[in-house]
Amino acid sequence: MPICKIINKNNLHRVWETPANIHQNSANSQRASRKFPEDFLFGTSSSAYQIEGGWNKDGKGISIWDVATHMDPSPVLDGSSGDVAADSYHLYKRDVEMMKELGLDFYRFSISWPRILPSGFSNEINQAGINYYNNLIDEMLANGISPLLTIYHWDLPHNLQKLGGWVNPIIIDYFTDYAEVLFDNFGDRVKCWITINEPQQICVGGYGSSMLAPLLNMTGIGEYLCSKNLLLAHAKAYRLYDEKYRKKQNGLIGISINGYWYEPATDSIDDKKATLDTIQFDWGQYAHPIFSKEGDYPYELKRKVYAKSAEQGFKRSRLPKLSKSEIEFIKGSSDFFGLNAYTTTLVYRNASLEGMYAVPSYLDDLGAGFTTDDSWPQGASVWLKEVPCGLTKILLEISKRYDNPPIYITENGWSTFGGLVDDDRIRYLRNYLDAVLDAIEAGSNVKLYTYWSLMDNFEWLSGYSEKFGLYEVDFADPNRTRTPRKSSFIYREIIRTKTLDFDYEPENFTGGNI
């Protein structure tokens, strides 16, 4: 059984444990099977740039990732790109076949903005792009798979980035125009929408650092300008759907926020306070304006950035203010809490942090450092540790902070370096689903679970060095052959039975067709 204590649903908030107690026992023996609610749904995820390929086919425009991956020298670890990727632009029928083999209830995918609007603007709609996604959606529905469609998963048209991208307020209108094209063309069949995937990664990764395209690294300023514009763009697309499309299309629309769980590295008051600050800076910066009763940015985020800005001689806070009307416009603009959650990090604060970060910067504003426990299992991704209790805790924290909203786990997964026998992925999958059930039993309103990812894909600046897929993709094969891993058989059985059975083993697994 898990060694994480079960937390009563009436006492969900800020339940800290020492690092020694945070990792749940990963042994599968002597663990009873557990049932999911009958209406609980299972799916897998992907994103357009990571799997589609066809980067310059049939009228598609150029994205910021096309630009970044074609730089010389390349910023990508293995020098690769998404030019072909898993070639889902041509192999989408095989992808749907895989969804059916797994028995998925739904499949989460994203639309390539420049495949639909090559220039980034809605005056020019690329019919070939519309046709591709129509064919994919229709193929899914014909096989009993519901589409969960992400409007924006990081592939901004390069033309819009030349205007400033997410730090230029005009992006709010251009994003809404793009969303309207998608509602018009796909809303008759798509009944669940995600406006934007992982706002914190977009803003901190692309504008506050060089971890993601467009690699601007304007830390301390860029991520905050991006944050305000992104929240308003999300809200405007939500309001458009709510006012113009919801009644006739009868769908739901929300946002997917990435969230680490953060634990204090020690029991000290300073580390506990640093941990609460980190939650507010990280996922609270995007969740609080949308899901809290009062709206606006979290208080500690506003206070700390204002104080640092004044100390550094700025005439105003580097975090742009949300007006009263903007606060009301953003507040409540999601039908569910979409959560991408993978791992846990320990947080500390002490005097040695002084001078550690550039000034001004996001991390200097936060004033916290990060570490992990060496006993936690390590994935192929340097940032990914297996800490199942962290998923339970973030689900319960969201439930407590935001009045128990419906939670859609829109990403969760484990990376390896390849191979069809992926017992570490199976262990991670089972332990994290066990953690989901712990949260549900404690009162969290979790409605669905989405494994990242259906197949191996281009993992941004890590290229193809990390494998998240239930299906292995042979990137050396021009046909991009997909082969089910052992984990795909385990996941299929969980979906089929709605049961988490720690003892189930697929018979005579050798790697091959399901």
Side-chain angles (χ1 to χ4, degrees):
M1 290 294 292
I3 62 172
C4 280
K5 61 187 178 183
I6 300 299
I7 305 168
N8 185 283
K9 67 181 180 181
N10 294 318
N11 186 29
L12 306 183
H13 201 45
R14 301 190 184 95
V15 182
W16 309 118
E17 294 180 7
T18 62
N21 290 331
I22 192 175
H23 181 57
Q24 158 176 339
N25 184 358
S26 62
N28 289 333
S29 59
Q30 299 180 337
R31 296 171 73 180
S33 297
R34 303 181 73 182
K35 291 286 291 183
F36 285 88
E38 281 303 311
D39 60 350
F40 195 86
L41 302 176
F42 293 94
T44 60
S45 288
S46 72
S47 87
Y49 186 80
Q50 292 179 273
I51 66 167
E52 280 182 9
W55 77 280
N56 59 356
K57 300 288 186 182
D58 300 332
K60 177 186 167 293
I62 302 299
S63 78
I64 56 174
W65 276 98
D66 294 319
V67 172
T69 56
H70 293 161
M71 291 170 62
D72 186 15
S74 172
V76 182
L77 179 66
D78 56 10
S80 64
S81 74
D83 288 1
V84 180
D87 201 22
S88 288
Y89 186 65
H90 298 105
L91 301 176
Y92 71 89
K93 288 189 177 182
R94 171 59 182 142
D95 294 351
V96 176
E97 205 173 68
M98 287 151 40
M99 301 171 207
K100 189 173 183 181
E101 289 168 359
L102 290 169
L104 300 184
D105 296 307
F106 66 91
Y107 176 59
R108 180 187 173 214
F109 65 100
S110 76
I111 300 289
S112 167
W113 188 337
R115 196 178 298 284
I116 297 294
L117 305 179
S119 67
F121 308 111
S122 60
N123 65 309
E124 179 193 352
I125 299 174
N126 180 26
Q127 188 59 45
I130 298 292
N131 293 344
Y132 168 68
Y133 293 109
N134 272 330
N135 290 337
L136 173 60
I137 292 167
D138 290 344
E139 187 77 8
M140 289 168 56
L141 292 172
N143 285 276
I145 315 295
S146 296
L148 199 171
L149 193 154
T150 303
I151 295 171
Y152 182 73
H153 196 132
W154 303 4
D155 48 356
L156 187 72
H158 179 54
N159 275 349
L160 295 184
Q161 185 54 47
K162 288 191 288 186
L163 296 176
W166 287 102
V167 300
N168 185 342
I170 196 64
I171 194 71
I172 299 164
D173 290 331
Y174 290 142
F175 176 76
T176 308
D177 293 343
Y178 162 54
E180 185 164 23
V181 172
L182 303 193
F183 298 151
D184 284 338
N185 282 276
F186 309 126
D188 59 327
R189 288 152 293 154
V190 173
K191 302 305 173 187
C192 192
W193 299 85
I194 292 168
T195 55
I196 295 168
N197 180 75
E198 297 189 347
Q200 191 266 358
Q201 291 280 59
I202 293 166
C203 294
V204 173
Y207 294 86
S209 74
S210 54
M211 294 186 296
L212 295 170
L215 314 171
L216 286 191
N217 200 22
M218 286 292 295
T219 184
I221 297 174
E223 60 268 90
Y224 298 134
L225 296 175
C226 170
S227 172
K228 177 176 180 177
N229 294 333
L230 188 149
L231 283 165
L232 288 168
H234 152 76
K236 191 165 185 178
Y238 176 90
R239 301 298 176 195
L240 172 67
Y241 188 83
D242 200 40
E243 294 163 10
K244 184 176 178 181
Y245 295 94
R246 188 187 298 275
K247 187 173 181 180
K248 62 181 178 181
Q249 295 186 353
N250 196 30
L252 299 173
I253 183 167
I255 190 170
S256 281
I257 295 172
N258 54 300
Y260 278 58
W261 179 245
Y262 295 99
E263 286 277 336
T266 72
D267 287 331
S268 73
I269 296 298
D270 280 349
D271 286 0
K272 289 181 178 180
K273 181 64 168 61
T275 301
L276 292 172
D277 290 348
T278 301
I279 289 172
Q280 292 202 13
F281 267 72
D282 185 33
W283 48 271
Q285 183 173 167
Y286 301 92
H288 200 80
I290 297 171
F291 294 98
S292 70
K293 290 180 179 178
E294 62 271 22
D296 202 359
Y297 288 122
Y299 170 77
E300 278 302 300
L301 171 68
K302 293 190 295 182
R303 186 191 69 80
K304 288 176 74 68
V305 179
Y306 174 82
K308 283 280 186 178
S309 300
E311 179 184 306
Q312 293 157 0
F314 286 87
K315 292 186 176 181
R316 65 193 64 84
S317 176
R318 289 176 279 102
L319 176 69
K321 184 178 180 180
L322 292 171
S323 69
K324 288 183 179 180
S325 61
E326 288 170 337
I327 290 169
E328 290 302 313
F329 190 68
I330 295 168
K331 189 168 61 174
S333 61
S334 194
D335 298 327
F336 53 85
F337 193 118
L339 174 67
N340 294 356
Y342 290 82
T343 195
T344 292
T345 295
L346 302 177
V347 182
Y348 63 92
R349 178 177 286 149
N350 59 39
S352 67
L353 288 172
E354 293 181 12
M356 180 182 291
Y357 304 126
V359 177
S361 77
Y362 175 81
L363 289 174
D364 179 65
D365 293 339
L366 171 58
F370 307 97
T371 187
T372 57
D373 191 310
D374 290 341
S375 70
W376 300 343
Q378 175 71 57
S381 309
V382 67
W383 53 269
L384 181 55
K385 295 274 193 173
E386 181 187 339
V387 194
C389 295
L391 180 56
T392 305
K393 289 185 173 187
I394 194 171
L395 291 168
L396 295 179
E397 186 77 4
I398 289 166
S399 299
K400 178 65 176 181
R401 283 177 181 259
Y402 304 125
D403 197 25
N404 209 17
I407 300 175
Y408 293 5
I409 299 174
T410 45
E411 287 184 27
N412 173 253
W414 182 254
S415 59
T416 68
F417 293 112
L420 297 179
V421 181
D422 53 345
D423 289 332
D424 51 349
R425 176 175 287 110
I426 292 167
R427 181 196 65 219
Y428 177 97
L429 175 64
R430 284 171 164 164
N431 284 336
Y432 272 70
L433 285 173
D434 201 33
V436 172
L437 286 167
D438 285 346
I440 292 172
E441 288 184 1
S444 190
N445 190 18
V446 187
K447 295 296 188 181
L448 58 82
Y449 172 87
T450 317
Y451 179 80
W452 180 276
S453 59
L454 175 62
M455 68 194 114
D456 294 339
N457 46 236
F458 178 80
E459 279 298 326
W460 311 114
L461 293 190
S462 296
Y464 298 99
S465 64
E466 302 167 4
K467 317 292 186 182
F468 278 88
L470 294 171
Y471 282 73
E472 182 178 77
V473 178
D474 185 352
F475 292 105
D477 181 352
N479 296 318
R480 296 300 195 268
T481 303
R482 291 108 154 93
T483 306
R485 292 193 166 101
K486 185 179 177 182
S487 57
S488 67
F489 291 79
I490 300 296
Y491 194 44
R492 180 183 69 168
E493 184 68 5
I494 292 168
I495 296 169
R496 186 185 71 82
T497 62
K498 288 193 184 292
T499 301
L500 183 58
D501 181 351
F502 296 95
D503 297 321
Y504 172 76
E505 284 287 324
E507 293 183 8
N508 304 317
F509 175 78
T510 58
N513 292 331
I514 286 185

